[in-house]
Amino acid sequence: MDLPGRISSITAPGTVMFDEKAVISWAADENADNYRLYVKGDTDKEYKEIYRGSETEFSFNAAEYPNFGKARFRVYGENSEGVSHMPRDSAEMTVIDVEIRESENGDVTLLPFNLSINMSSSKFGEIPSIRETSEQITGLDGEIPIDTKYSYRLFDIAAFMKYEFHSVSEREEYIRKMSAHINRSVRKLRYLLYRGKIFGVKAASAPEFSRRPAYCNLDIAYKCYEVFGYGEEKVLYGDGVCAVSGDTPCYPVIILEGEKNNPVIKVNGVEYQIAIDTAEGDIVTIDCERETVLLESSDGSQMYLAGAFYLDFPVFEVGENTVEGCDCVRWRDKYFIM
């Protein structure tokens, strides 16, 4: 029996709420008896195995990984002869902590708090109030405020109006969950989904969620550390055209796999030679926004390569961008919202 081939595809949703499950699925391989699925969060250095078995899908529970802001999945095929040489990686999945959802009548729901705001009666004309700029804001280290401020008794329903819940324990569970979520968001950078765009946000301040004093106010001032909104990640395997449908240029992530010796790639007709020498099973990730080149060897070790590029890192312009010599290219549409 031959070793399993490389899995042809793996699919993960672009976003998942922090307390929900995401179905990760992959294509079957005729030589594979089992599959190994791994995950890596944005703060992890290495992939961790989360599933081994014969199924071709896995239900990933985001709540079990509270430190994840983003996640990427990797799958191998396996049989009695061993594991496939090359893995297949998924697109990046963003774990959303807050979503601002608008209805047709103009009302707004703030999730996961499930707070409904009647915009016609709200003193705020837009939730959230968004200010964006391409320039650094003095005194704020470049972050952009996305404020969701409510100074009236929105949490009365949760804390005191028992008729809105089936039992005292149900009300207590809601309070416990929302309190934990606010505290979790304060600790590190998180993500907000608004009008289909993803913003990196951090809760700058949040009062303690409790049943005292007589009413509870929620005043969470989110700060956006990503000036722009981003769409879901797009992926192209092999040569082809990368269509950028955002309204401003974006940076691709270029993947080279397997044995290479000073390979040359082309982006929009411009040649880029990469000073690398890799073996079978190696993966090179070129992050053009961070201007880094990461070599991941077949044994799992990782190393950043300095001086691998002789020219500036490629940029994708709005519209069609051609690529040649790349095994995989990933990118996100980038939006400047006024």
Side-chain angles (χ1 to χ4, degrees):
M1 179 182 291
D2 296 330
L3 279 175
R6 188 183 188 190
I7 304 303
S8 61
S9 65
I10 177 173
T11 302
T15 62
V16 62
M17 285 297 290
F18 76 98
D19 58 348
E20 295 180 349
K21 294 182 179 181
V23 176
I24 315 302
S25 60
W26 53 92
D29 183 88
E30 60 180 6
N31 289 326
D33 297 324
N34 289 294
Y35 302 93
R36 296 188 185 186
L37 181 68
Y38 296 76
V39 67
K40 183 170 75 170
D42 46 350
T43 59
D44 293 338
K45 293 183 179 180
E46 299 179 352
Y47 282 86
K48 301 175 183 177
E49 184 176 307
I50 57 174
Y51 171 76
R52 184 182 298 190
S54 60
E55 301 294 329
T56 56
E57 69 174 35
F58 176 78
S59 182
F60 176 80
N61 187 359
E64 295 179 1
Y65 300 85
N67 293 323
F68 279 16
K70 295 184 178 182
R72 193 178 297 279
F73 301 90
R74 171 173 289 184
V75 64
Y76 294 85
E78 181 182 32
N79 62 20
S80 58
E81 297 297 319
V83 178
S84 51
H85 288 304
M86 296 294 299
R88 177 66 73 187
D89 290 359
S90 73
E92 187 176 66
M93 182 179 72
T94 302
V95 181
I96 301 296
D97 271 58
V98 185
E99 180 178 357
I100 297 174
R101 187 175 297 172
E102 297 171 297
S103 64
E104 293 182 358
N105 64 5
D107 289 353
V108 170
T109 302
L110 179 65
L111 302 176
F113 307 104
N114 204 31
L115 296 175
S116 296
I117 314 300
N118 187 313
M119 295 300 294
S120 61
S121 63
S122 173
K123 62 182 179 179
F124 295 98
E126 182 181 6
I127 300 176
S129 172
I130 296 184
R131 296 204 316 265
E132 300 209 44
T133 178
S134 59
E135 300 177 0
Q136 182 172 345
I137 299 177
T138 304
L140 292 179
D141 297 325
E143 71 266 27
I144 310 300
I146 295 185
D147 295 333
T148 54
K149 297 184 177 180
Y150 309 96
S151 299
Y152 40 94
R153 298 168 60 171
L154 292 178
F155 272 165
D156 284 359
I157 186 173
F160 304 102
M161 297 179 66
K162 62 181 180 180
Y163 300 108
E164 299 294 334
F165 298 89
H166 293 96
S167 65
V168 173
S169 61
E170 183 178 326
R171 185 173 73 251
E172 294 294 328
E173 174 63 17
Y174 179 91
I175 293 172
R176 184 200 64 78
K177 181 179 178 181
M178 293 304 103
S179 177
H181 182 67
I182 290 174
N183 294 334
R184 172 179 182 269
S185 298
V186 168
R187 285 200 298 269
K188 66 169 292 190
L189 183 68
R190 296 298 180 182
Y191 294 94
L192 175 147
L193 186 65
Y194 179 54
R195 294 182 177 176
K197 309 299 186 298
I198 299 171
F199 296 87
V201 299
K202 186 175 184 180
S205 64
E208 181 181 358
F209 189 101
S210 69
R211 286 175 292 168
R212 297 179 176 83
Y215 62 89
C216 301
N217 295 332
L218 171 64
D219 186 355
I220 306 178
Y222 291 102
K223 290 188 175 181
C224 177
Y225 283 76
E226 295 178 351
V227 176
F228 299 92
Y230 293 83
E232 292 187 0
E233 188 174 70
K234 299 180 178 179
V235 181
L236 171 72
Y237 294 103
D239 298 345
V241 176
C242 301
V244 175
S245 54
D247 52 22
T248 188
C250 64
Y251 294 90
V253 175
I254 298 170
I255 311 296
L256 302 177
E257 300 169 335
E259 187 175 355
K260 308 283 185 185
N261 181 254
N262 295 328
V264 175
I265 63 174
K266 284 185 179 181
V267 177
N268 292 326
V270 178
E271 291 189 350
Y272 299 84
Q273 185 174 34
I274 301 94
I276 56 173
D277 190 8
T278 58
E280 184 180 4
D282 290 350
I283 300 174
V284 175
T285 302
I286 303 167
D287 190 323
C288 297
E289 183 169 23
R290 298 178 181 176
E291 296 191 348
T292 59
V293 180
L294 175 66
L295 170 62
E296 183 178 355
S297 298
S298 55
D299 61 5
S301 62
Q302 297 181 340
M303 178 175 60
Y304 283 99
L305 306 177
F309 252 80
Y310 296 122
L311 299 173
D312 291 336
F313 285 74
V315 177
F316 278 178
E317 301 295 336
V318 176
E320 293 187 346
N321 298 264
T322 60
V323 295
E324 298 177 46
C326 307
D327 294 292
C328 175
V329 181
R330 307 193 304 256
W331 73 100
R332 287 180 180 267
D333 290 336
K334 190 175 179 182
Y335 300 87
F336 185 86
I337 304 176
M338 300 301 293

